[in-house]
Amino acid sequence: MTATHQDPETAVVAKRADAGEADTEEIRDLAAAAGLTVVDEVTQTRKEDPALCLGEGKVEELARVVTRNGAGCVVFDNRLGPYQTYNLGNQLPEGVEVKDRFRLILDIFGQRAQTKKAQLQVELAELRYELPRVEAKVSLARRDERPGFMGLGEYDESREQDIKKRISRIRDELQRIEDDEEHRREQRRESGFDLVALAGYTNAGKSTLLRQLAADLDVDENEDLHPDLDTTAESRDKLFTTLGTTTRRADMDRRNVLVTDTVGFVSDLPHWLVESFKSTLDAVYRADLVLLVVDVSEPVEDIREKLVTSHDTLYERNEAPIVTVLNKVDKVPPEDVEEKKAALSALAPDPVAVSGKEGLDVDELKRRIDTDLPPYDRERLVLPMSDEAMSLVSWIHDHAHVRDVDYADEVVVDFEARPSIVERARARAADLPLPAES
Ligand SMILES: Nc1nc2c(ncn2[C@@H]2O[C@H](COP(=O)(O)OP(=O)(O)OP(=O)(O)O)[C@@H](O)[C@H]2O)c(=O)[nH]1
Ligand SMILES: [Mg+2]
């Protein structure tokens, strides 16, 4: 068969599994999310070959498949070491790029990063990916170097130093951004808001739920643009539609709640990659309540695995209560939802089943947000009839849920709010000047 020209947007997927069938569904979705067209796949079940990941014969087959399709790129679902990437490149037609799963995820993040913060995080992740590869080259060059001979390692050594310096500069810059955001969260709490975060795997339906819960437009001015918030846009299953964070005010009866949507998790993310996105995940780690969203139409074993990994990621840093949200109930018969609930009861003791798309049981979810957030304190203040007291009443209206105000000789205001808000209202009431004798 004759080779067509190589198309850089065309990919062949490769995957090695230790046992069983190699499932390529997710890596195909990831490749599509990166803008690649997957034309074919080559899989193998065997133990890892240290030089090539796949067996030698399999790699020859891979080279033939790549040539036949004119593919410009091979995407491995496996993690490839620096030498494996290099060796595979030598076995494949010239010019064909070899990417592993993590390189591909970095590509997607790079394409989606729109804010300064997201771009810094992507760059940090890329440098962290590159560093061990450069270090490996440096140590090889050192080993082979003969005394008195300025060797190959020189370039790599200075590259290694550059990467380390850049990593530390980016860390400082991200730290400043994190501090600003922490400050903003504190200000929002002081204004009487409870902070709720949506977390979960990519494609679970977090952004769709945000739309259902939201009362008005974004409250963040400088966050990522959100193509997925356009309700008129045709939605189709796509991974990592959301990379930054978006915060919106929820439409609630009693509490003032801000809901933040965040980047989705993906399976098998290495620690360094998750760490690079810590600033984005801080919105989850520092929330007052986390809504952990899963797609209930997936097989129960997949859901279980995702819940376990999500809990591991969250419990490391988060003390907030978690409400598990079983989303997409419209895709599953009710009896299956019940069966899955029962099967997952140890991990998700009291989940809420909803459909973000159809708006089913969103009110029930709001009730759960209300009850599972840290409780409000209730207070009843008796204030003198004065201008200062009126301005305190209006402050209480802004920061708390007012149950009743009674204007007679005195003002009696009955309200509930975050404990810190109640405390401040009490302090302000104690400071009110006594009304002038008349
Ligand atoms: N049938 C059905 N589809 C849904 C529901 N909720 C979301 N979807 C679809 O699932 C896909 C993913 O939804 P998103 O809200 O973008 O998911 P996400 O969790 O924000 O994904 P990332 O931003 O990639 O982390 C979209 O095609 C939605 O239309 C639901 O309740 N039922
Ligand atoms: Mg999203």
Side-chain angles (χ1 to χ4, degrees), residues 1 22 46 67 80 127 145 211 250 265 271 313 332 337 339 386:
M1 214 166 277
R46 60 158 284 164
T67 307
L80 295 177
L127 292 169
E145 218 168 49
R211 281 197 290 270
F265 302 153
H271 190 67
T313 312
V332 181
V337 174
E339 212 171 278
S386 69

Side-chain angles (χ1 to χ4, degrees), residues 78-114:
N78 308 85
R79 180 186 184 284
L80 295 177
Y83 305 112
Q84 289 171 330
T85 311
Y86 177 77
N87 293 334
L88 283 162
N90 285 340
Q91 303 285 314
L92 294 169
E94 182 135 1
V96 171
E97 200 181 347
V98 179
K99 292 174 197 269
D100 70 1
R101 176 184 178 80
F102 306 129
R103 185 61 253 176
L104 184 69
I105 291 172
L106 287 176
D107 284 354
I108 301 171
F109 284 0
Q111 289 165 9
R112 309 267 158 98
Q114 280 164 333

Side-chain angles (χ1 to χ4, degrees), residues 48 53 76 78-88 98-104 106 125-141 153 155-157 159-161 163-164 167 270 272-273:
E48 180 173 6
C53 183
F76 270 79
N78 308 85
R79 180 186 184 284
L80 295 177
Y83 305 112
Q84 289 171 330
T85 311
Y86 177 77
N87 293 334
L88 283 162
V98 179
K99 292 174 197 269
D100 70 1
R101 176 184 178 80
F102 306 129
R103 185 61 253 176
L104 184 69
L106 287 176
E126 284 181 334
L127 292 169
R128 283 179 161 174
Y129 179 85
E130 191 184 346
L131 185 60
R133 286 165 165 74
V134 175
E135 281 173 341
K137 280 204 226 160
V138 168
S139 74
L140 254 195
Y155 164 78
D156 291 318
E157 236 165 285
R159 177 77 190 136
E160 185 186 352
Q161 293 314 315
I163 291 177
K164 285 182 174 160
I167 285 179
W272 57 265
L273 192 50

Side-chain angles (χ1 to χ4, degrees), residues 259-280:
V259 185
T260 299
D261 182 22
T262 59
V263 61
F265 302 153
V266 62
S267 40
D268 295 337
L269 272 196
H271 190 67
W272 57 265
L273 192 50
V274 175
E275 267 306 298
S276 305
F277 283 83
K278 181 183 153 296
S279 302
T280 297

Side-chain angles (χ1 to χ4, degrees), residues 202-203 205-208 226 228 240-243 261-264:
T202 179
N203 207 46
K206 298 179 293 300
S207 301
T208 308
H226 256 243
D228 52 335
F240 298 118
T241 23
T242 312
L243 194 57
D261 182 22
T262 59
V263 61

Side-chain angles (χ1 to χ4, degrees), residues 377-379 381 415 419 421-431:
D377 282 353
R378 178 133 177 218
E379 178 61 293
L381 291 175
F415 66 98
I421 297 288
V422 171
E423 229 166 82
R424 282 169 63 201
R426 275 191 203 128
R428 287 182 61 161
D431 283 348

Side-chain angles (χ1 to χ4, degrees), residues 34-99:
L36 297 167
T37 308
V38 177
V39 284
D40 211 336
E41 66 174 40
V42 172
T43 63
Q44 189 174 33
T45 304
R46 60 158 284 164
K47 70 176 191 354
E48 180 173 6
D49 179 89
L52 292 166
C53 183
L54 302 171
E56 214 173 310
K58 236 337 152 192
V59 174
E60 282 167 21
E61 179 189 331
L62 177 63
R64 282 194 299 276
V65 171
V66 167
T67 307
R68 188 171 66 225
N69 287 289
C73 165
V74 174
V75 176
F76 270 79
D77 198 14
N78 308 85
R79 180 186 184 284
L80 295 177
Y83 305 112
Q84 289 171 330
T85 311
Y86 177 77
N87 293 334
L88 283 162
N90 285 340
Q91 303 285 314
L92 294 169
E94 182 135 1
V96 171
E97 200 181 347
V98 179
K99 292 174 197 269

Side-chain angles (χ1 to χ4, degrees), residues 263-334:
V263 61
F265 302 153
V266 62
S267 40
D268 295 337
L269 272 196
H271 190 67
W272 57 265
L273 192 50
V274 175
E275 267 306 298
S276 305
F277 283 83
K278 181 183 153 296
S279 302
T280 297
L281 290 172
D282 266 353
V284 175
Y285 299 146
R286 304 283 164 80
D288 300 316
L289 176 75
V290 175
L291 303 179
L292 180 54
V293 185
V294 295
D295 177 348
V296 77
S297 69
E298 289 183 350
V300 77
E301 276 319 308
D302 293 4
I303 301 176
R304 190 195 308 276
E305 208 181 301
K306 288 178 177 181
L307 282 174
V308 168
T309 315
S310 305
H311 282 159
D312 286 350
T313 312
L314 291 172
Y315 282 139
E316 226 171 272
R317 301 167 166 277
N318 174 294
E319 296 114 52
I322 297 173
V323 172
T324 310
V325 182
L326 307 178
N327 188 34
K328 310 199 186 182
V329 287
D330 58 291
K331 286 175 89 175
V332 181

